[in-house]
Amino acid sequence: MEESPSVKSKDLNVAEEFEKSGMKRMANFVVIGHVDHGKSTLMGRLLFDLNVIDQRSIDKLRKEAETIGKSSFALAWVMDQTSEERNRGVTVDIATNHFETEKTRFTILDAPGHKDFIPNMIAGASQADFAVLVIDASINSFESGLRGQTKEHALLVRSLGVQRLIVAVNKMDTISWSQSRFEEISQAMSTFLTTANFSSKGITFVPCAGLTGENVVRKVQTSDASWYTGPSLIEALDASEPGKRHIEKPLRLTISDVFKGGVIAPISISGRIEAGSVQVGDAILAMPANETATVKMIEVENKPVDWAIAGQIPTLHLTDIDPIHLRSGDIVCTPKDPVKLINTFTCKILAFEHVLPSSVDVFRGRLHTEGKISALLARLDKATGEIVKKKPRVVKPGEVSRVTVVLEKELPLEVGTRVVLREGGNTVAAGLLEG
């Protein structure tokens, strides 16, 4: 591989630069929910009503949608970029879009609702500060969603550290803005979400209609909805506090995309910075390959910048590394303080199904490997974390326990990392690494 001319670092104190920059607060949220409940349409409407996309683009999408007899999909297609998604009418990968309010710069991570795409959904949720759970209010749709992906998605985002949830009760126009239906859904979901470890303070219910745009950006005007005095969806988003930014910690970035053969550099990566910061000229270490690279250029939302910090999702253009060493899901860290590769760990799990010592697929964002739960060490009190019972024979759904997991191949993991355990296509538990 050719040596590239070295890139000079400005040796900036990024934490100070960030303080001086007066940058708007940033928040990333993931949109989740059962397939066909209107997630992509709702986000397309939000972007359209905020003038992030113009009427011409929508008209063009509407024309394309009409040619395959799906004119109502035009708004969804703002989010669904690939022809596979458009033909199937479902979201496969994670689309990202940006918009801002007076207070906040938002990134939408539109995660797929379809059961086949749960690993992509895990990757999206692991980049999020909070989640918008979209529920179809129409008769039977909410109920079938609750039996379907609605529950699994809510459990997944909670297990990945998301504590704040906005529940968008969508398609209210199809039920004439029925107050009793909205309250019935809110009550059923509140009961479920609090048992899934969400605090009731962290949940907001917002009735809306993605197709018509009522109560998304503009308040609902129809007399049928005169009973509702709460926030619109955009107001609820703006009221959400983003998570704390761990700028002082060592760099940790999870790669979500790898681009090859660019004009600026032979290889580029993008992903969310979970901790620390990175600047042009930095040496970085890619794990698990254990290979270093140099940051030639950084872009945030397609604009060149000198640095990026925790909470942002930058693109890093790299030199001095063979593309073979970089994959989606890998961890980028600072060579001075790398993430260790381990193949055995103890973690505290919340069980969604019965958990026994058994083989499982272990996910850390998009990275995953086969492994097994080798020992159930103790059942813990949910509130205090104290040991209730040592060496239980089984962990029941809803219980918290400490287990040992052995992996078939080493993964870059450290204390505080969140993992998801799946078995036979179902999420059985999620946990927090203890050591």
Side-chain angles (χ1 to χ4, degrees):
M1 196 169 52
E2 277 174 48
E3 279 299 302
S4 57
S6 65
V7 189
K8 284 273 186 289
S9 171
K10 294 184 180 175
D11 285 327
L12 300 169
N13 178 329
V14 174
E16 268 179 27
E17 294 291 320
F18 172 60
E19 284 301 315
K20 284 193 307 211
S21 72
M23 195 186 280
K24 265 186 192 178
R25 64 181 204 162
M26 297 166 290
N28 308 318
F29 66 92
V30 66
V31 188
I32 59 171
H34 192 64
V35 68
D36 286 344
H37 278 207
K39 296 184 295 297
S40 297
T41 299
L42 187 62
M43 290 304 109
R45 165 60 68 184
L46 183 74
L47 293 168
F48 178 54
D49 286 357
L50 288 169
N51 301 320
V52 175
I53 44 163
D54 59 14
Q55 185 66 50
R56 221 175 56 225
S57 308
I58 286 289
D59 290 343
K60 185 167 165 282
L61 290 173
R62 191 161 279 133
K63 259 209 190 87
E64 282 180 40
E66 278 165 1
T67 61
I68 63 162
K70 296 184 172 177
S71 60
S72 67
F73 282 29
L75 284 166
W77 283 2
V78 172
M79 300 297 289
D80 294 342
Q81 309 283 345
T82 68
S83 59
E84 181 194 358
E85 290 176 314
R86 292 183 177 183
N87 291 335
R88 289 177 63 178
V90 296
T91 306
V92 179
D93 209 330
I94 301 158
T96 44
N97 268 290
H98 308 281
F99 66 92
E100 56 187 278
T101 60
E102 271 176 42
K103 273 194 346 196
T104 317
R105 182 87 183 133
F106 287 102
T107 301
I108 310 174
L109 307 156
D110 179 39
H114 200 277
K115 194 172 171 52
D116 303 349
F117 311 124
I118 290 281
N120 281 349
M121 146 91 216
I122 292 171
S126 58
Q127 298 183 64
D129 293 309
F130 63 95
V132 174
L133 171 61
V134 180
I135 285 176
D136 182 342
S138 49
I139 305 308
N140 291 333
S141 288
F142 162 62
E143 287 74 9
S144 62
L146 204 53
R147 289 192 298 276
Q149 266 69 63
T150 303
K151 274 188 170 170
E152 185 173 20
H153 281 194
L155 288 168
L156 267 175
V157 295
R158 182 66 197 91
S159 61
L160 291 162
V162 170
Q163 292 176 357
R164 170 130 178 76
L165 199 60
I166 294 170
V167 182
V169 182
N170 194 23
K171 306 193 188 180
M172 287 293 290
D173 52 322
T174 64
I175 53 164
S176 310
W177 289 84
S178 160
Q179 180 176 4
S180 59
R181 179 66 170 161
F182 176 71
E183 286 170 357
E184 177 195 358
I185 289 171
S186 303
Q187 204 154 8
M189 283 310 296
S190 283
T191 306
F192 164 67
L193 291 167
T194 47
T195 58
N197 247 7
F198 281 96
S199 118
S200 53
K201 288 201 302 281
I203 310 165
T204 307
F205 290 91
V206 180
C208 56
L211 210 52
T212 60
E214 291 164 297
N215 214 39
V216 179
V217 170
R218 59 176 196 275
K219 289 275 208 201
V220 56
Q221 300 296 328
T222 173
S223 57
D224 287 342
S226 56
W227 53 270
Y228 181 71
T229 54
S232 63
L233 182 59
I234 193 79
E235 287 168 341
L237 290 170
D238 232 358
S240 299
E241 279 300 314
K244 186 176 174 348
R245 306 277 166 232
H246 299 290
I247 302 174
E248 307 300 334
K249 291 190 172 180
L251 173 67
R252 297 291 184 264
L253 177 150
T254 301
I255 300 176
S256 55
D257 282 302
V258 179
F259 316 97
K260 293 176 188 160
V263 181
I264 300 164
I267 184 90
S268 304
I269 57 170
S270 76
R272 182 183 190 224
I273 303 179
E274 284 150 29
S277 63
V278 62
Q279 57 182 301
V280 173
D282 275 358
I284 56 168
L285 180 70
M287 297 297 275
N290 202 18
E291 293 284 336
T292 56
T294 305
V295 179
K296 181 179 179 184
M297 182 176 162
I298 303 173
E299 288 182 291
V300 173
E301 294 172 31
N302 302 318
K303 293 187 184 76
V305 293
D306 289 332
W307 48 265
I309 57 156
Q312 288 184 304
I313 304 177
T315 298
L316 308 183
H317 301 288
L318 306 176
T319 59
D320 311 326
I321 189 166
D322 189 314
I324 197 169
H325 299 307
L326 294 163
R327 290 167 315 170
S328 174
D330 288 0
I331 312 299
V332 167
C333 47
T334 162
K336 287 197 205 83
D337 203 334
V339 180
K340 291 191 172 52
L341 291 172
I342 58 170
N343 60 7
T344 306
F345 59 85
T346 305
C347 81
K348 191 162 83 176
I349 63 162
L350 170 64
F352 304 145
E353 312 263 344
H354 286 85
V355 172
L356 297 149
S358 63
S359 296
V360 284
D361 283 315
V362 181
F363 285 83
R364 184 246 183 258
R366 273 184 200 253
L367 269 190
H368 96 281
T369 185
E370 286 168 21
K372 64 173 188 284
I373 297 170
S374 62
L376 306 179
L377 302 175
R379 194 165 86 240
L380 308 175
D381 182 288
K382 237 179 180 176
T384 63
E386 301 289 319
I387 292 174
V388 175
K389 183 179 184 186
K390 288 190 172 174
K391 297 193 175 166
R393 288 175 53 190
V394 63
V395 183
K396 295 186 187 130
E399 290 182 344
V400 171
S401 72
R402 182 171 287 122
V403 301
T404 304
V405 178
V406 180
L407 305 175
E408 285 200 357
K409 64 171 196 257
E410 292 182 321
L411 286 185
L413 295 168
E414 55 195 343
V415 172
T417 304
R418 293 183 181 273
V419 292
V420 173
L421 308 179
R422 305 193 82 225
E423 192 182 333
N426 290 319
T427 303
V428 292
L432 198 62
L433 235 78
E434 295 189 320

